[in-house]
Amino acid sequence: MTWLIVAKIDDDYVRFTAEGGERCGLGRASVFPESQAEELRARLARLGEGWEKARLMLLTIYEEPYGG
């Protein structure tokens, strides 16, 4: 099992770009290992106004064989 964290605003997720950040779907979101939660909070703070509503979400990933 793997735990990752992602930032979410309303129904959108956050993707960090060279220019700052953008809202996106889960498939394009920036994900971080749980150990980098404080770094993620700091990056959100640097984005400035409008991003303070973002909340951190824990993604839990289970791996198992695909039965197709």
Side-chain angles (χ1 to χ4, degrees):
M1 177 171 44
T2 300
W3 290 338
L4 300 169
I5 53 174
V6 66
K8 187 171 185 179
I9 300 176
D10 301 323
D11 291 332
D12 298 323
Y13 294 87
V14 177
R15 177 180 175 89
F16 292 98
T17 65
E19 296 79 32
E22 63 184 17
R23 290 178 176 223
C24 64
L26 180 58
R28 295 189 62 227
S30 297
V31 296
F32 297 81
E34 187 180 17
S35 62
Q36 292 184 2
E38 292 309 312
E39 169 65 20
L40 178 51
R41 285 188 179 99
R43 290 182 77 167
L44 287 167
R46 287 193 295 270
L47 291 177
E49 188 176 335
W51 296 93
E52 64 275 350
K53 292 185 354 181
R55 62 194 190 282
L56 301 188
M57 304 298 290
L58 182 67
L59 301 176
T60 306
I61 299 173
Y62 295 93
E63 186 176 3
E64 59 185 66
Y66 178 68

